[in-house]
Short mmCIF file of all heavy atoms in Angstrom, two decimals:
data_model
loop_
_atom_site.label_atom_id
_atom_site.label_comp_id
_atom_site.label_asym_id
_atom_site.label_seq_id
_atom_site.Cartn_x
_atom_site.Cartn_y
_atom_site.Cartn_z
N LEU A 1 0.85 -1.16 0.00
CA LEU A 1 0.00 0.00 0.00
C LEU A 1 0.90 1.23 0.00
O LEU A 1 1.65 1.45 0.94
CB LEU A 1 -0.92 -0.02 1.22
CG LEU A 1 -1.89 1.13 1.36
CD1 LEU A 1 -2.83 1.22 0.18
CD2 LEU A 1 -2.68 0.96 2.64
N LEU A 2 0.85 2.00 -1.02
CA LEU A 2 1.70 3.17 -1.17
C LEU A 2 1.54 4.12 0.00
O LEU A 2 0.43 4.44 0.41
CB LEU A 2 1.35 3.89 -2.48
CG LEU A 2 2.30 5.00 -2.91
CD1 LEU A 2 3.71 4.46 -3.12
CD2 LEU A 2 1.80 5.66 -4.19
N GLY A 3 2.66 4.51 0.60
CA GLY A 3 2.65 5.43 1.73
C GLY A 3 2.49 4.75 3.08
O GLY A 3 2.63 5.38 4.11
N GLU A 4 2.16 3.45 3.09
CA GLU A 4 1.99 2.72 4.34
C GLU A 4 2.86 1.48 4.43
O GLU A 4 3.53 1.26 5.42
CB GLU A 4 0.52 2.32 4.54
CG GLU A 4 -0.34 3.48 4.98
CD GLU A 4 -1.71 3.00 5.39
OE1 GLU A 4 -1.81 1.96 6.05
OE2 GLU A 4 -2.68 3.66 5.02
N ALA A 5 2.84 0.65 3.41
CA ALA A 5 3.61 -0.59 3.42
C ALA A 5 4.47 -0.64 2.16
O ALA A 5 4.02 -1.10 1.12
CB ALA A 5 2.68 -1.80 3.49
N GLU A 6 5.67 -0.13 2.25
CA GLU A 6 6.57 -0.08 1.11
C GLU A 6 7.84 -0.87 1.40
O GLU A 6 8.95 -0.43 1.10
CB GLU A 6 6.89 1.37 0.76
CG GLU A 6 5.67 2.16 0.33
CD GLU A 6 6.01 3.58 -0.11
OE1 GLU A 6 7.15 3.83 -0.51
OE2 GLU A 6 5.12 4.43 -0.05
N ASP A 7 7.69 -2.04 2.00
CA ASP A 7 8.85 -2.87 2.34
C ASP A 7 9.66 -3.17 1.09
O ASP A 7 9.11 -3.49 0.04
CB ASP A 7 8.40 -4.19 2.96
CG ASP A 7 7.62 -4.00 4.23
OD1 ASP A 7 6.94 -2.97 4.38
OD2 ASP A 7 7.68 -4.89 5.09
N MET A 8 10.98 -3.12 1.23
CA MET A 8 11.88 -3.41 0.13
C MET A 8 13.01 -4.29 0.65
O MET A 8 13.28 -4.31 1.85
CB MET A 8 12.43 -2.13 -0.48
CG MET A 8 11.37 -1.22 -1.05
SD MET A 8 12.05 0.23 -1.84
CE MET A 8 12.51 -0.47 -3.40
N GLY A 9 13.67 -4.98 -0.24
CA GLY A 9 14.80 -5.81 0.16
C GLY A 9 15.79 -5.95 -0.97
O GLY A 9 15.46 -5.77 -2.13
N GLU A 10 17.03 -6.25 -0.58
CA GLU A 10 18.06 -6.52 -1.56
C GLU A 10 18.90 -7.68 -1.06
O GLU A 10 19.10 -7.85 0.14
CB GLU A 10 18.94 -5.30 -1.83
CG GLU A 10 19.82 -4.89 -0.67
CD GLU A 10 20.74 -3.72 -1.00
OE1 GLU A 10 21.25 -3.64 -2.12
OE2 GLU A 10 20.95 -2.89 -0.11
N VAL A 11 19.35 -8.52 -1.97
CA VAL A 11 20.18 -9.66 -1.61
C VAL A 11 21.60 -9.16 -1.35
O VAL A 11 22.20 -8.49 -2.18
CB VAL A 11 20.17 -10.73 -2.72
CG1 VAL A 11 21.13 -11.86 -2.39
CG2 VAL A 11 18.76 -11.27 -2.91
N ILE A 12 22.12 -9.49 -0.17
CA ILE A 12 23.48 -9.11 0.23
C ILE A 12 24.45 -10.24 -0.09
O ILE A 12 25.58 -10.01 -0.49
CB ILE A 12 23.53 -8.80 1.75
CG1 ILE A 12 22.57 -7.69 2.12
CG2 ILE A 12 24.94 -8.48 2.21
CD1 ILE A 12 22.88 -6.37 1.48
N SER A 13 24.02 -11.50 0.14
CA SER A 13 24.89 -12.65 -0.08
C SER A 13 24.03 -13.88 -0.38
O SER A 13 22.90 -13.98 0.08
CB SER A 13 25.73 -12.93 1.17
OG SER A 13 26.48 -14.13 1.03
N VAL A 14 24.58 -14.79 -1.15
CA VAL A 14 23.92 -16.08 -1.39
C VAL A 14 24.78 -17.23 -0.86
O VAL A 14 24.48 -18.40 -1.11
CB VAL A 14 23.59 -16.31 -2.89
CG1 VAL A 14 22.57 -15.29 -3.37
CG2 VAL A 14 24.85 -16.27 -3.73
N SER A 15 25.83 -16.89 -0.12
CA SER A 15 26.75 -17.93 0.36
C SER A 15 27.29 -17.66 1.76
O SER A 15 28.40 -18.08 2.09
CB SER A 15 27.91 -18.08 -0.62
OG SER A 15 28.59 -16.84 -0.76
N GLU A 16 26.51 -16.99 2.60
CA GLU A 16 26.94 -16.70 3.98
C GLU A 16 27.10 -18.01 4.75
O GLU A 16 26.23 -18.87 4.71
CB GLU A 16 25.90 -15.82 4.67
CG GLU A 16 26.13 -15.59 6.15
CD GLU A 16 27.40 -14.84 6.45
OE1 GLU A 16 27.68 -13.85 5.76
OE2 GLU A 16 28.13 -15.27 7.36
N THR A 17 28.20 -18.18 5.47
CA THR A 17 28.42 -19.41 6.22
C THR A 17 28.69 -19.17 7.70
O THR A 17 28.81 -20.13 8.47
CB THR A 17 29.61 -20.21 5.65
OG1 THR A 17 30.78 -19.40 5.67
CG2 THR A 17 29.32 -20.69 4.23
N ALA A 18 28.77 -17.93 8.15
CA ALA A 18 29.19 -17.65 9.53
C ALA A 18 28.04 -17.64 10.55
O ALA A 18 28.29 -17.86 11.72
CB ALA A 18 29.92 -16.31 9.58
N ALA A 19 26.82 -17.41 10.13
CA ALA A 19 25.72 -17.27 11.09
C ALA A 19 25.27 -18.61 11.65
O ALA A 19 25.28 -19.63 10.97
CB ALA A 19 24.54 -16.56 10.44
N SER A 20 24.86 -18.57 12.93
CA SER A 20 24.38 -19.76 13.61
C SER A 20 23.35 -19.35 14.66
O SER A 20 23.52 -18.35 15.34
CB SER A 20 25.56 -20.47 14.27
OG SER A 20 25.12 -21.60 14.97
N VAL A 21 22.27 -20.12 14.76
CA VAL A 21 21.24 -19.92 15.78
C VAL A 21 20.99 -21.28 16.44
O VAL A 21 21.47 -22.30 15.95
CB VAL A 21 19.94 -19.33 15.17
CG1 VAL A 21 20.19 -17.95 14.58
CG2 VAL A 21 19.35 -20.24 14.13
N PRO A 22 20.24 -21.34 17.55
CA PRO A 22 20.05 -22.62 18.24
C PRO A 22 19.51 -23.76 17.36
O PRO A 22 19.91 -24.90 17.54
CB PRO A 22 19.07 -22.27 19.36
CG PRO A 22 19.36 -20.84 19.66
CD PRO A 22 19.68 -20.22 18.32
N ALA A 23 18.64 -23.47 16.40
CA ALA A 23 18.02 -24.53 15.62
C ALA A 23 18.66 -24.79 14.26
O ALA A 23 18.29 -25.75 13.58
CB ALA A 23 16.54 -24.23 15.42
N ALA A 24 19.59 -23.94 13.83
CA ALA A 24 20.15 -24.09 12.49
C ALA A 24 21.43 -23.27 12.37
O ALA A 24 21.75 -22.47 13.24
CB ALA A 24 19.13 -23.62 11.45
N ASP A 25 22.11 -23.48 11.24
CA ASP A 25 23.27 -22.65 10.96
C ASP A 25 23.38 -22.44 9.45
O ASP A 25 22.58 -22.97 8.68
CB ASP A 25 24.56 -23.25 11.53
CG ASP A 25 24.89 -24.60 10.92
OD1 ASP A 25 24.78 -24.77 9.69
OD2 ASP A 25 25.29 -25.50 11.69
N CYS A 26 24.37 -21.70 9.07
CA CYS A 26 24.56 -21.38 7.66
C CYS A 26 25.72 -22.14 7.04
O CYS A 26 26.32 -21.68 6.07
CB CYS A 26 24.78 -19.87 7.49
SG CYS A 26 23.31 -18.88 7.81
N SER A 27 26.04 -23.31 7.58
CA SER A 27 27.18 -24.07 7.07
C SER A 27 27.00 -24.45 5.60
O SER A 27 27.98 -24.58 4.88
CB SER A 27 27.43 -25.32 7.92
OG SER A 27 26.30 -26.16 7.92
N ALA A 28 25.77 -24.61 5.14
CA ALA A 28 25.50 -24.94 3.74
C ALA A 28 25.35 -23.69 2.87
O ALA A 28 25.12 -23.79 1.68
CB ALA A 28 24.25 -25.80 3.63
N GLY A 29 25.49 -22.52 3.48
CA GLY A 29 25.38 -21.25 2.74
C GLY A 29 23.99 -20.67 2.79
O GLY A 29 23.06 -21.23 2.23
N CYS A 30 23.84 -19.58 3.50
CA CYS A 30 22.56 -18.88 3.63
C CYS A 30 22.45 -17.73 2.64
O CYS A 30 23.45 -17.13 2.26
CB CYS A 30 22.40 -18.30 5.03
SG CYS A 30 22.02 -19.50 6.30
N VAL A 31 21.22 -17.42 2.28
CA VAL A 31 20.91 -16.18 1.57
C VAL A 31 20.70 -15.11 2.63
O VAL A 31 20.00 -15.34 3.62
CB VAL A 31 19.65 -16.32 0.69
CG1 VAL A 31 19.21 -14.98 0.13
CG2 VAL A 31 19.88 -17.33 -0.41
N VAL A 32 21.32 -13.95 2.45
CA VAL A 32 21.17 -12.83 3.38
C VAL A 32 20.58 -11.66 2.63
O VAL A 32 21.06 -11.31 1.54
CB VAL A 32 22.52 -12.41 4.01
CG1 VAL A 32 22.31 -11.28 5.01
CG2 VAL A 32 23.20 -13.59 4.68
N THR A 33 19.53 -11.08 3.19
CA THR A 33 18.91 -9.90 2.58
C THR A 33 18.99 -8.71 3.53
O THR A 33 19.09 -8.88 4.74
CB THR A 33 17.42 -10.14 2.23
OG1 THR A 33 16.69 -10.40 3.44
CG2 THR A 33 17.27 -11.30 1.26
N ARG A 34 18.97 -7.53 2.95
CA ARG A 34 18.80 -6.30 3.73
C ARG A 34 17.39 -5.83 3.45
O ARG A 34 17.04 -5.54 2.32
CB ARG A 34 19.80 -5.22 3.32
CG ARG A 34 19.64 -3.93 4.13
CD ARG A 34 20.66 -2.87 3.75
NE ARG A 34 20.35 -2.26 2.47
CZ ARG A 34 19.62 -1.16 2.31
NH1 ARG A 34 19.12 -0.53 3.34
NH2 ARG A 34 19.42 -0.68 1.10
N ASP A 35 16.56 -5.79 4.48
CA ASP A 35 15.17 -5.35 4.36
C ASP A 35 15.05 -3.96 4.93
O ASP A 35 15.58 -3.68 6.01
CB ASP A 35 14.24 -6.32 5.08
CG ASP A 35 14.16 -7.68 4.41
OD1 ASP A 35 15.04 -7.98 3.58
OD2 ASP A 35 13.25 -8.44 4.72
N PHE A 36 14.33 -3.10 4.24
CA PHE A 36 14.22 -1.71 4.66
C PHE A 36 12.91 -1.10 4.19
O PHE A 36 12.20 -1.69 3.37
CB PHE A 36 15.41 -0.89 4.14
CG PHE A 36 15.56 -0.92 2.63
CD1 PHE A 36 15.07 0.11 1.86
CD2 PHE A 36 16.19 -1.98 2.01
CE1 PHE A 36 15.21 0.10 0.47
CE2 PHE A 36 16.35 -2.00 0.63
CZ PHE A 36 15.85 -0.97 -0.14
N LEU A 37 12.58 0.06 4.76
CA LEU A 37 11.38 0.80 4.40
C LEU A 37 11.79 2.21 3.99
O LEU A 37 12.25 2.98 4.84
CB LEU A 37 10.42 0.89 5.59
CG LEU A 37 9.88 -0.42 6.14
CD1 LEU A 37 9.18 -0.18 7.48
CD2 LEU A 37 8.92 -1.03 5.17
N PRO A 38 11.62 2.57 2.74
CA PRO A 38 11.98 3.93 2.32
C PRO A 38 11.24 5.02 3.09
O PRO A 38 11.79 6.10 3.31
CB PRO A 38 11.59 3.97 0.84
CG PRO A 38 11.53 2.55 0.41
CD PRO A 38 11.14 1.77 1.63
N ILE A 39 10.02 4.73 3.56
CA ILE A 39 9.25 5.74 4.28
C ILE A 39 9.62 5.80 5.76
O ILE A 39 9.18 6.69 6.47
CB ILE A 39 7.72 5.53 4.11
CG1 ILE A 39 7.31 4.16 4.62
CG2 ILE A 39 7.32 5.74 2.66
CD1 ILE A 39 5.80 3.91 4.62
N GLU A 40 10.42 4.82 6.24
CA GLU A 40 10.91 4.81 7.62
C GLU A 40 12.40 4.48 7.60
O GLU A 40 12.79 3.32 7.74
CB GLU A 40 10.16 3.77 8.46
CG GLU A 40 8.70 4.08 8.68
CD GLU A 40 8.04 3.04 9.57
OE1 GLU A 40 8.61 2.70 10.62
OE2 GLU A 40 6.97 2.56 9.18
N PRO A 41 13.26 5.47 7.42
CA PRO A 41 14.69 5.23 7.26
C PRO A 41 15.36 4.50 8.43
O PRO A 41 16.41 3.91 8.26
CB PRO A 41 15.28 6.63 7.11
CG PRO A 41 14.15 7.53 6.80
CD PRO A 41 12.92 6.86 7.32
N ASP A 42 14.76 4.52 9.62
CA ASP A 42 15.34 3.83 10.77
C ASP A 42 15.11 2.32 10.74
O ASP A 42 15.74 1.59 11.50
CB ASP A 42 14.77 4.39 12.09
CG ASP A 42 15.19 5.83 12.33
OD1 ASP A 42 16.11 6.30 11.65
OD2 ASP A 42 14.58 6.47 13.20
N VAL A 43 14.20 1.85 9.90
CA VAL A 43 13.90 0.42 9.81
C VAL A 43 14.84 -0.19 8.78
O VAL A 43 14.75 0.09 7.59
CB VAL A 43 12.43 0.17 9.42
CG1 VAL A 43 12.16 -1.31 9.25
CG2 VAL A 43 11.50 0.77 10.46
N ASN A 44 15.78 -1.01 9.27
CA ASN A 44 16.81 -1.57 8.43
C ASN A 44 17.29 -2.85 9.10
O ASN A 44 17.78 -2.81 10.22
CB ASN A 44 17.95 -0.56 8.30
CG ASN A 44 18.81 -0.77 7.10
OD1 ASN A 44 18.54 -1.60 6.25
ND2 ASN A 44 19.88 -0.01 7.04
N GLU A 45 17.12 -4.01 8.45
CA GLU A 45 17.55 -5.25 9.09
C GLU A 45 18.12 -6.23 8.08
O GLU A 45 17.84 -6.15 6.89
CB GLU A 45 16.41 -5.89 9.88
CG GLU A 45 15.23 -6.33 9.06
CD GLU A 45 14.09 -6.88 9.92
OE1 GLU A 45 14.21 -6.93 11.15
OE2 GLU A 45 13.07 -7.25 9.34
N HIS A 46 18.94 -7.14 8.58
CA HIS A 46 19.44 -8.25 7.78
C HIS A 46 18.66 -9.49 8.17
O HIS A 46 18.41 -9.73 9.35
CB HIS A 46 20.93 -8.48 8.04
CG HIS A 46 21.81 -7.51 7.34
ND1 HIS A 46 23.17 -7.50 7.49
CD2 HIS A 46 21.54 -6.51 6.46
CE1 HIS A 46 23.70 -6.54 6.76
NE2 HIS A 46 22.73 -5.92 6.13
N LYS A 47 18.27 -10.27 7.15
CA LYS A 47 17.56 -11.52 7.38
C LYS A 47 18.35 -12.65 6.73
O LYS A 47 18.85 -12.50 5.62
CB LYS A 47 16.14 -11.47 6.81
CG LYS A 47 15.23 -10.53 7.56
CD LYS A 47 13.80 -10.61 7.06
CE LYS A 47 12.90 -9.71 7.89
NZ LYS A 47 11.51 -9.75 7.40
N TYR A 48 18.45 -13.77 7.45
CA TYR A 48 19.21 -14.93 7.00
C TYR A 48 18.24 -16.07 6.71
O TYR A 48 17.37 -16.39 7.52
CB TYR A 48 20.19 -15.37 8.09
CG TYR A 48 21.30 -14.38 8.33
CD1 TYR A 48 21.03 -13.17 8.97
CD2 TYR A 48 22.59 -14.63 7.92
CE1 TYR A 48 22.04 -12.24 9.20
CE2 TYR A 48 23.62 -13.72 8.16
CZ TYR A 48 23.33 -12.53 8.79
OH TYR A 48 24.33 -11.61 9.01
N PHE A 49 18.43 -16.74 5.55
CA PHE A 49 17.57 -17.83 5.11
C PHE A 49 18.44 -19.04 4.81
O PHE A 49 19.31 -18.99 3.94
CB PHE A 49 16.79 -17.42 3.85
CG PHE A 49 15.91 -16.23 4.07
CD1 PHE A 49 16.40 -14.94 3.90
CD2 PHE A 49 14.58 -16.39 4.45
CE1 PHE A 49 15.58 -13.83 4.11
CE2 PHE A 49 13.76 -15.29 4.66
CZ PHE A 49 14.26 -14.00 4.49
N ALA A 50 18.22 -20.14 5.55
CA ALA A 50 19.00 -21.37 5.38
C ALA A 50 18.33 -22.30 4.38
O ALA A 50 17.10 -22.43 4.39
CB ALA A 50 19.15 -22.08 6.72
N PRO A 51 19.13 -22.97 3.55
CA PRO A 51 18.56 -23.90 2.57
C PRO A 51 17.76 -25.01 3.25
O PRO A 51 18.21 -25.59 4.24
CB PRO A 51 19.79 -24.49 1.87
CG PRO A 51 20.94 -23.62 2.23
CD PRO A 51 20.58 -22.91 3.50
N GLY A 52 16.58 -25.29 2.73
CA GLY A 52 15.74 -26.35 3.25
C GLY A 52 15.02 -26.01 4.54
O GLY A 52 14.22 -26.80 5.04
N ILE A 53 15.31 -24.84 5.11
CA ILE A 53 14.66 -24.44 6.37
C ILE A 53 13.88 -23.15 6.18
O ILE A 53 12.72 -23.06 6.51
CB ILE A 53 15.71 -24.26 7.49
CG1 ILE A 53 16.40 -25.59 7.77
CG2 ILE A 53 15.05 -23.72 8.76
CD1 ILE A 53 17.56 -25.50 8.72
N GLY A 54 14.54 -22.12 5.68
CA GLY A 54 13.91 -20.81 5.50
C GLY A 54 14.51 -19.79 6.45
O GLY A 54 15.68 -19.87 6.82
N HIS A 55 13.70 -18.85 6.87
CA HIS A 55 14.14 -17.73 7.70
C HIS A 55 14.61 -18.22 9.07
O HIS A 55 13.83 -18.80 9.82
CB HIS A 55 12.98 -16.74 7.84
CG HIS A 55 13.31 -15.52 8.62
ND1 HIS A 55 12.38 -14.92 9.42
CD2 HIS A 55 14.43 -14.78 8.74
CE1 HIS A 55 12.92 -13.86 9.99
NE2 HIS A 55 14.17 -13.77 9.60
N ILE A 56 15.90 -17.97 9.40
CA ILE A 56 16.43 -18.42 10.68
C ILE A 56 16.89 -17.29 11.60
O ILE A 56 17.01 -17.49 12.80
CB ILE A 56 17.59 -19.43 10.51
CG1 ILE A 56 18.80 -18.79 9.85
CG2 ILE A 56 17.12 -20.67 9.75
CD1 ILE A 56 20.08 -19.59 9.97
N LEU A 57 17.16 -16.11 11.04
CA LEU A 57 17.73 -15.04 11.85
C LEU A 57 17.39 -13.68 11.25
O LEU A 57 17.46 -13.50 10.04
CB LEU A 57 19.26 -15.20 11.91
CG LEU A 57 20.09 -14.11 12.58
CD1 LEU A 57 19.77 -14.01 14.07
CD2 LEU A 57 21.58 -14.36 12.37
N SER A 58 17.03 -12.73 12.13
CA SER A 58 16.86 -11.32 11.75
C SER A 58 17.70 -10.49 12.70
O SER A 58 17.72 -10.74 13.91
CB SER A 58 15.41 -10.86 11.88
OG SER A 58 14.59 -11.51 10.95
N ILE A 59 18.39 -9.49 12.16
CA ILE A 59 19.19 -8.58 12.98
C ILE A 59 18.78 -7.15 12.65
O ILE A 59 18.92 -6.72 11.50
CB ILE A 59 20.70 -8.75 12.73
CG1 ILE A 59 21.13 -10.19 13.00
CG2 ILE A 59 21.50 -7.77 13.58
CD1 ILE A 59 22.56 -10.50 12.57
N ASP A 60 18.27 -6.43 13.63
CA ASP A 60 17.93 -5.02 13.47
C ASP A 60 19.25 -4.24 13.46
O ASP A 60 19.99 -4.26 14.44
CB ASP A 60 17.04 -4.54 14.61
CG ASP A 60 16.59 -3.11 14.45
OD1 ASP A 60 17.45 -2.22 14.26
OD2 ASP A 60 15.38 -2.88 14.51
N LEU A 61 19.56 -3.58 12.37
CA LEU A 61 20.85 -2.91 12.22
C LEU A 61 20.97 -1.65 13.06
O LEU A 61 22.08 -1.18 13.31
CB LEU A 61 21.12 -2.60 10.75
CG LEU A 61 21.20 -3.83 9.85
CD1 LEU A 61 21.41 -3.42 8.40
CD2 LEU A 61 22.28 -4.79 10.30
N GLU A 62 19.86 -1.09 13.51
CA GLU A 62 19.91 0.10 14.35
C GLU A 62 20.12 -0.26 15.82
O GLU A 62 20.97 0.30 16.50
CB GLU A 62 18.62 0.93 14.19
CG GLU A 62 18.36 1.41 12.78
CD GLU A 62 19.45 2.32 12.24
OE1 GLU A 62 19.96 3.18 12.99
OE2 GLU A 62 19.81 2.14 11.06
N SER A 63 19.35 -1.21 16.32
CA SER A 63 19.39 -1.55 17.75
C SER A 63 20.28 -2.75 18.07
O SER A 63 20.65 -2.95 19.22
CB SER A 63 17.97 -1.84 18.26
OG SER A 63 17.49 -3.05 17.70
N GLY A 64 20.55 -3.58 17.08
CA GLY A 64 21.30 -4.80 17.31
C GLY A 64 20.43 -5.94 17.80
O GLY A 64 20.91 -7.06 17.99
N GLU A 65 19.15 -5.70 18.00
CA GLU A 65 18.22 -6.72 18.47
C GLU A 65 18.11 -7.84 17.44
O GLU A 65 18.11 -7.60 16.24
CB GLU A 65 16.85 -6.09 18.70
CG GLU A 65 15.85 -6.99 19.35
CD GLU A 65 14.55 -6.27 19.68
OE1 GLU A 65 14.61 -5.14 20.19
OE2 GLU A 65 13.49 -6.86 19.41
N THR A 66 18.02 -9.09 17.93
CA THR A 66 17.92 -10.23 17.03
C THR A 66 16.67 -11.05 17.30
O THR A 66 16.13 -11.04 18.40
CB THR A 66 19.15 -11.17 17.18
OG1 THR A 66 19.16 -11.71 18.49
CG2 THR A 66 20.44 -10.45 16.88
N GLU A 67 16.23 -11.76 16.28
CA GLU A 67 15.19 -12.78 16.38
C GLU A 67 15.80 -14.04 15.80
O GLU A 67 16.28 -14.02 14.66
CB GLU A 67 13.95 -12.38 15.59
CG GLU A 67 13.23 -11.18 16.14
CD GLU A 67 12.01 -10.80 15.32
OE1 GLU A 67 11.70 -11.48 14.31
OE2 GLU A 67 11.36 -9.81 15.68
N GLU A 68 15.79 -15.13 16.58
CA GLU A 68 16.45 -16.37 16.16
C GLU A 68 15.48 -17.55 16.15
O GLU A 68 14.64 -17.67 17.04
CB GLU A 68 17.59 -16.70 17.13
CG GLU A 68 18.64 -15.64 17.22
CD GLU A 68 19.73 -15.97 18.21
OE1 GLU A 68 19.56 -16.93 19.01
OE2 GLU A 68 20.76 -15.30 18.21
N LEU A 69 15.66 -18.43 15.18
CA LEU A 69 14.92 -19.68 15.16
C LEU A 69 15.48 -20.58 16.24
O LEU A 69 16.69 -20.85 16.27
CB LEU A 69 15.06 -20.35 13.79
CG LEU A 69 14.33 -21.68 13.61
CD1 LEU A 69 12.82 -21.48 13.65
CD2 LEU A 69 14.74 -22.32 12.28
N ILE A 70 14.64 -21.02 17.17
CA ILE A 70 15.14 -21.81 18.30
C ILE A 70 14.74 -23.29 18.22
O ILE A 70 15.32 -24.11 18.92
CB ILE A 70 14.69 -21.22 19.65
CG1 ILE A 70 13.18 -21.14 19.73
CG2 ILE A 70 15.32 -19.86 19.87
CD1 ILE A 70 12.67 -20.83 21.12
N GLN A 71 13.77 -23.63 17.37
CA GLN A 71 13.35 -25.02 17.30
C GLN A 71 12.71 -25.31 15.96
O GLN A 71 12.00 -24.45 15.40
CB GLN A 71 12.34 -25.32 18.42
CG GLN A 71 11.91 -26.75 18.48
CD GLN A 71 10.97 -27.01 19.66
OE1 GLN A 71 10.63 -26.12 20.41
NE2 GLN A 71 10.55 -28.24 19.79
N ILE A 72 12.94 -26.51 15.46
CA ILE A 72 12.28 -26.98 14.23
C ILE A 72 11.53 -28.26 14.61
O ILE A 72 12.09 -29.15 15.25
CB ILE A 72 13.30 -27.30 13.13
CG1 ILE A 72 14.08 -26.05 12.75
CG2 ILE A 72 12.59 -27.89 11.91
CD1 ILE A 72 15.22 -26.30 11.79
N THR A 73 10.28 -28.33 14.22
CA THR A 73 9.48 -29.53 14.46
C THR A 73 9.09 -30.11 13.11
O THR A 73 8.48 -29.43 12.29
CB THR A 73 8.20 -29.19 15.27
OG1 THR A 73 8.60 -28.58 16.49
CG2 THR A 73 7.40 -30.43 15.56
N TYR A 74 9.47 -31.35 12.89
CA TYR A 74 9.14 -32.03 11.65
C TYR A 74 7.91 -32.90 11.84
O TYR A 74 7.76 -33.52 12.89
CB TYR A 74 10.32 -32.89 11.17
CG TYR A 74 11.53 -32.08 10.79
CD1 TYR A 74 12.59 -31.92 11.67
CD2 TYR A 74 11.61 -31.47 9.55
CE1 TYR A 74 13.70 -31.17 11.33
CE2 TYR A 74 12.71 -30.72 9.19
CZ TYR A 74 13.76 -30.58 10.08
OH TYR A 74 14.85 -29.82 9.73
N PRO A 75 7.04 -32.97 10.82
CA PRO A 75 5.84 -33.80 10.95
C PRO A 75 6.16 -35.28 11.02
O PRO A 75 7.13 -35.76 10.68
CB PRO A 75 5.03 -33.48 9.70
CG PRO A 75 5.91 -32.72 8.79
CD PRO A 75 7.11 -32.29 9.57
#
């Protein structure tokens, strides 16, 4: 929605291997994106996506606050 939800992202890496969270790691190479909002310049974060799992880590670049995947449950 123009003026309200203008989320944007760019790929930073397709082979990140250093990140690790309790439930997963990037040993197989994660995709890393920078997500931002042009209408809110303070909103800027990196998101890590592990192959076969998906989103495992978010890092707020302003505050340093993180969100980590802590558990995976398979059917």
Side-chain angles (χ1 to χ4, degrees):
L1 180 60
L2 190 60
E4 283 190 41
E6 297 184 25
D7 299 30
M8 299 184 80
E10 68 177 322
V11 175
I12 302 296
S13 174
V14 295
S15 58
E16 172 64 44
T17 58
S20 178
V21 297
D25 62 44
C26 290
S27 60
C30 285
V31 171
V32 182
T33 62
R34 180 178 74 92
D35 292 16
F36 58 98
L37 298 168
I39 59 174
E40 293 183 48
D42 294 346
V43 176
N44 201 7
E45 63 184 359
H46 282 176
K47 291 186 177 179
Y48 293 72
F49 300 87
I53 297 173
H55 182 215
I56 65 165
L57 174 65
S58 294
I59 302 171
D60 184 306
L61 299 177
E62 300 299 319
S63 69
E65 187 174 316
T66 64
E67 293 179 1
E68 300 178 348
L69 180 66
I70 58 169
Q71 183 177 1
I72 298 173
T73 303
Y74 294 99

